[in-house]
Amino acid sequence: MPRWRVLAVFLLPAFLLYSVFIVYPLVTALEYSFFEWRGIRQTGFAGLANYRDLFTIYPYDQQLWRAFGHNALFFAGTMLIQNTVGLLFALLLFRHGRGKRFLQAAFTTPYLVDPLVVGYLWSLLLNPTFGPVNSLLEAAGLDSWALPWLGDTRTALPVVIVVNAWQWVGFPMLLFSAALAGIPAEYHEAARVDGASAWQAFRRVTLPLLTPAIGVVSVLTFIGNFNAFGLVYAMAGSTGSPAGSTDVLGLLFYRVAFVEGGTEAIGRSSALAVLMFVFIFGVSMLAGSYFRRRERRLL
């Protein structure tokens, strides 16, 4: 059988699934965003009116920028906690292999669970009335730390960020572990021979060689955090309570499409989906290009 036929047999099912569930919805959303709607009935060409409404009509003009800012904080906090801790765990497991398989399985299991389930479980754990987190703090004499974690505008978003980082910390840990295993041992031996300390060897040898893995982890973390919905919805509801302090773009899209959009819900929610896609795709491409340039400098 010719090679192209073999490739077609294996690639065609994936291509069809990708087209039906990714390409078609994207193209449809782009089309819908340029039309006026009355419920589910398309009434006429709207041009950029749906996009303009998101930036000029209350409450979208306020909620859009607030949700975008929360997504930016969500990404920054997750990058700092999740990927730093993931790299630390990867280094510890790489240097001390005892129980490595068990610990890898333990750290990666949470991200195999649906974010909705994780969010509901943590909502129960953090409940100020019967949750075990506050009960343990009070039992330890730390009553001042027993807070309404998800009911205070000052703590709600940081708590959601920490829970998100906890769930996904195993993902960068696995990628960093694989990257560390691919670094030739001779490089570390040469650094030790040259008198480099452990920190100097990590900063000058290990960290630069982890650039490809750092790039992949950073881009995927960015995409995942700017598409966040399930975890935040489970922990804070569709309005991003309390007082919108945990509102993100995914929740805003849900409200525009199913709660607040009115007769123009399809057009406005499609416009928001297109804006999210363009921003996420554009930043991801720029970040990917930046990390590829960094990789080429290592060659």
Side-chain angles (χ1 to χ4, degrees):
M1 181 182 292
R3 181 179 176 84
W4 68 269
R5 290 187 179 180
V6 175
L7 292 175
V9 168
F10 284 99
L11 293 177
L12 186 60
F15 177 75
L16 290 175
L17 289 173
Y18 181 80
S19 299
V20 171
F21 293 104
I22 302 296
V23 177
Y24 176 73
L26 285 174
V27 174
T28 302
L30 179 62
E31 176 193 355
Y32 288 174
S33 69
F34 291 113
F35 285 89
E36 295 178 354
W37 294 82
R38 291 296 178 269
I40 60 173
R41 184 168 63 90
Q42 194 177 97
T43 59
F45 185 71
L48 298 176
N50 289 317
Y51 295 90
R52 184 190 64 236
D53 290 347
L54 293 174
F55 293 95
T56 59
I57 292 181
Y58 179 85
Y60 309 127
D61 58 340
Q62 297 181 9
Q63 294 178 354
L64 179 62
W65 293 113
R66 181 184 65 187
F68 179 81
H70 291 161
N71 271 110
L73 292 174
F74 200 73
F75 166 65
T78 302
M79 276 290 295
L80 179 63
I81 301 171
Q82 168 192 295
N83 297 333
T84 302
V85 175
L87 178 57
L88 176 61
F89 286 168
L91 287 168
L92 291 175
L93 292 176
F94 178 72
R95 294 175 180 175
H96 309 284
R98 181 178 300 178
K100 180 177 181 180
R101 298 302 180 191
F102 170 77
L103 291 173
Q104 285 180 336
F107 287 129
T108 55
T109 297
Y111 81 73
L112 300 178
V113 182
D114 190 273
L116 276 170
V117 176
V118 173
Y120 282 126
L121 288 174
W122 274 99
S123 296
L124 295 174
L125 293 173
L126 295 167
N127 188 285
T129 304
F130 57 80
V133 173
N134 279 358
S135 297
L136 290 173
L137 290 172
E138 291 170 355
L142 300 173
D143 298 59
S144 61
W145 287 67
L147 304 172
W149 299 101
L150 296 176
D152 191 326
T153 57
R154 296 169 298 178
T155 58
L157 183 61
V159 166
V160 175
I161 291 172
V162 170
V163 172
N164 182 65
W166 170 85
Q167 181 185 7
W168 292 96
V169 69
F171 176 70
M173 185 196 72
L174 285 181
L175 290 183
F176 288 137
S177 295
L180 287 169
I183 298 176
E186 292 82 0
Y187 292 175
H188 297 99
E189 293 174 1
R192 285 195 296 270
V193 170
D194 289 340
S197 64
W199 168 248
Q200 290 173 330
F202 171 76
R203 188 165 63 91
R204 298 292 186 180
V205 178
T206 305
L207 193 59
L209 293 175
L210 289 178
T211 298
I214 293 173
V216 172
V217 169
S218 300
V219 172
L220 292 180
T221 301
F222 172 78
I223 294 172
N225 282 269
F226 269 85
N227 280 307
F229 174 76
L231 180 71
V232 188
Y233 179 83
M235 299 186 72
S238 63
T239 58
S241 61
S245 60
T246 58
D247 197 16
V248 291
L249 291 172
L251 293 181
L252 178 59
F253 170 80
Y254 174 84
R255 293 199 305 275
V256 173
F258 302 110
V259 182
E260 302 172 355
T263 59
E264 292 288 349
I266 293 179
R268 290 171 181 170
S269 62
S270 297
L272 178 57
V274 171
L275 289 176
M276 290 174 61
F277 170 77
V278 170
F279 174 76
I280 294 171
F281 180 78
V283 173
S284 299
M285 292 297 292
L286 290 174
S289 176
Y290 168 77
F291 282 108
R292 284 193 295 271
R293 290 197 303 269
R294 292 291 301 270
E295 290 176 38
R296 286 194 291 269
R297 294 176 186 174
L298 300 175
L299 301 178

